[in-house]
Amino acid sequence: MRRVVQRGLWYEEFETDVLYEHRPGRTITEADNVLFTTLTMNTQALHLDAAFADALPPFHQRLVNSMFTLSTLVGLSVAQLTQGTIVANLGFSDIGFPKPLFHGDTLYAETVVTEKRESKSRPGEGIVTFAHTGRNQHGDVVATAIRRTLVRKWTS
């Protein structure tokens, strides 16, 4: 019997200017937001205190913690892009949250490979740069991030 094991892409399989759509999306619950916020010791009332947040314009409701949004955005890409093939994240830049997420919103992720090159110091590995975009269920962009990763090569 032939076996197929889910994995990410090897360095050689990544192509620049390809849009990878990561599905399914993730509907964000109040429990998700409160747990992440309290686990990370973020006491921001905009995430935890409904009465406080409800009284404040312009949103009049609690916001999903942006660090949870970022983590989920990257996490949604793992199975398709880097499961078992990544060596390490090298860094994040140009992180933005143009619109907030709220409890009950669904986050959808997409990624474009913007650059790749073989590592000069680590044979058998390459550096791949991802441009991640998160959209809510209405198609509005709610998060963006550039992520540089070190990825294993198939042939080393």
Side-chain angles (χ1 to χ4, degrees):
M1 174 184 302
R2 190 172 97 102
R3 294 178 112 184
V4 176
V5 177
Q6 182 174 337
R7 64 162 174 85
L9 302 177
W10 300 102
Y11 173 79
E12 295 87 345
E13 295 176 296
F14 283 108
E15 297 177 40
T16 57
D17 299 320
V18 172
L19 178 68
Y20 297 90
E21 293 182 341
H22 313 299
R23 300 296 184 267
R26 175 72 156 75
T27 301
I28 310 302
T29 68
E30 177 181 12
D32 296 328
N33 191 43
V34 170
L35 179 62
F36 184 90
T37 299
T38 56
L39 282 174
T40 58
M41 300 296 293
N42 180 339
T43 59
Q44 176 53 252
L46 284 171
H47 306 310
L48 297 172
D49 185 331
F52 175 83
D54 290 352
L56 290 180
F59 303 114
H60 297 284
Q61 61 182 306
R62 283 173 289 167
L63 306 178
V64 171
N65 185 316
S66 59
M67 293 297 96
F68 180 71
T69 302
L70 177 63
S71 296
T72 306
L73 171 59
V74 171
L76 286 167
S77 75
V78 168
Q80 189 174 16
L81 298 181
T82 60
Q83 179 68 49
T85 57
I86 193 171
V87 176
N89 283 317
L90 299 176
F92 290 82
S93 63
D94 301 319
I95 297 168
F97 304 100
K99 290 192 174 190
L101 274 180
F102 304 105
H103 301 155
D105 281 349
T106 300
L107 179 63
Y108 293 96
E110 57 194 47
T111 302
V112 174
V113 175
T114 60
E115 183 180 356
K116 68 180 253 189
R117 69 170 179 82
E118 293 189 23
S119 174
K120 295 174 184 156
S121 61
R122 297 180 63 110
E125 298 170 359
I127 297 170
V128 179
T129 303
F130 299 117
H132 296 293
T133 301
R135 298 177 187 276
N136 65 15
Q137 67 275 17
H138 306 294
D140 301 324
V141 174
V142 296
T144 57
I146 303 299
R147 176 170 68 127
R148 291 181 56 237
T149 61
L150 191 61
V151 177
R152 289 183 179 85
K153 293 175 72 178
W154 175 255
T155 55
S156 51

